[in-house]
């Protein structure tokens, strides 16, 4: 299969991670529901990469099940900060080096703390962005722990 060679793919290759590339037709505002539908997988196993900022403008990445939302209140409480809000698309792009819709936690431009919803690690396989719109990679959830300095969080609603 011919797939894009993104910073995320280079990162995974460098770390000798087994991954399966999956291309789909990117649909504006389609999100994880659309990618899961096109790939014929459970949306719960499609993990979205979200960029947030604390009230002190410190960036962080949150990995969340496709069929769940992030409670910013719970996340802020967990982090011990006053508040957390989604980064603007421009800011997210500047922080990660990826376009919104193609944000991957792998191979980001700056080193940013990564928080993963705890239950992601209960899954056998996850589908996570490969660094380009319309491109997911399937990996074992343990890859997150093995390659990123990931912390578990409980912020799903």
């Amino acid at each position: 299969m011919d797939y894009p060679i993104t910073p995320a793919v280079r990162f995974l290759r460098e770390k000798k991670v087994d991954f399966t590339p999956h291309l789909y037709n990117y649909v504006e505002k389609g999100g994880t529901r659309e990618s899961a539908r096109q790939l014929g997988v459970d949306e719960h196993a499609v993990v979205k990469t979200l960029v947030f900022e604390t009230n002190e403008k410190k960036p962080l990445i949150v990995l969340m099940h496709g069929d769940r939302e992030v409670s910013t209140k719970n996340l802020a409480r967990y982090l011990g900060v006053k508040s957390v809000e989604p980064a603007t698309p421009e800011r997210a792009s500047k922080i990660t080096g990826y376009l919104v819709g193609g944000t991957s936690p792998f191979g980001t431009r700056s080193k940013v703390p990564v928080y993963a919803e705890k239950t992601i690690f209960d899954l056998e396989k996850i589908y996570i962005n490969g660094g380009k719109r319309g491109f997911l990679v399937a990996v074992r959830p343990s890859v997150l722990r093995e390659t990123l300095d990931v912390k578990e969080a409980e912020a799903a609603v």
Side-chain angles (χ1 to χ4, degrees), residues 8-40:
V9 168
R10 285 190 196 97
F11 176 89
L12 292 170
R13 284 178 173 172
E14 186 183 298
K15 303 280 185 188
K16 304 206 179 342
V17 170
D18 278 333
F19 67 91
T20 313
H22 294 277
L23 292 166
Y24 65 95
N25 294 320
Y26 179 76
V27 175
E28 195 73 42
K29 303 275 184 225
T32 54
R33 180 171 293 136
E34 184 57 32
S35 56
R37 186 190 66 74
Q38 286 190 39
L39 298 176

Side-chain angles (χ1 to χ4, degrees), residues 38-97:
Q38 286 190 39
L39 298 176
V41 299
D42 182 0
E43 190 183 3
H44 196 67
V46 178
V47 173
K48 42 190 176 185
T49 306
L50 306 165
V51 183
F52 285 87
E53 286 185 306
T54 67
N55 52 295
E56 297 157 347
K57 293 286 175 227
K58 290 201 170 101
L60 60 128
I61 288 175
V62 177
L63 304 177
M64 182 56 71
H65 295 285
D67 59 353
R68 300 282 193 278
E69 294 302 314
V70 173
S71 161
T72 52
K73 271 196 176 103
N74 291 353
L75 185 59
R77 204 173 295 130
Y78 174 80
L79 296 171
V81 296
K82 201 161 89 185
S83 66
V84 177
E85 62 181 30
T88 64
E90 300 76 31
R91 185 92 170 100
S93 189
K94 192 174 178 194
I95 292 163
T96 63

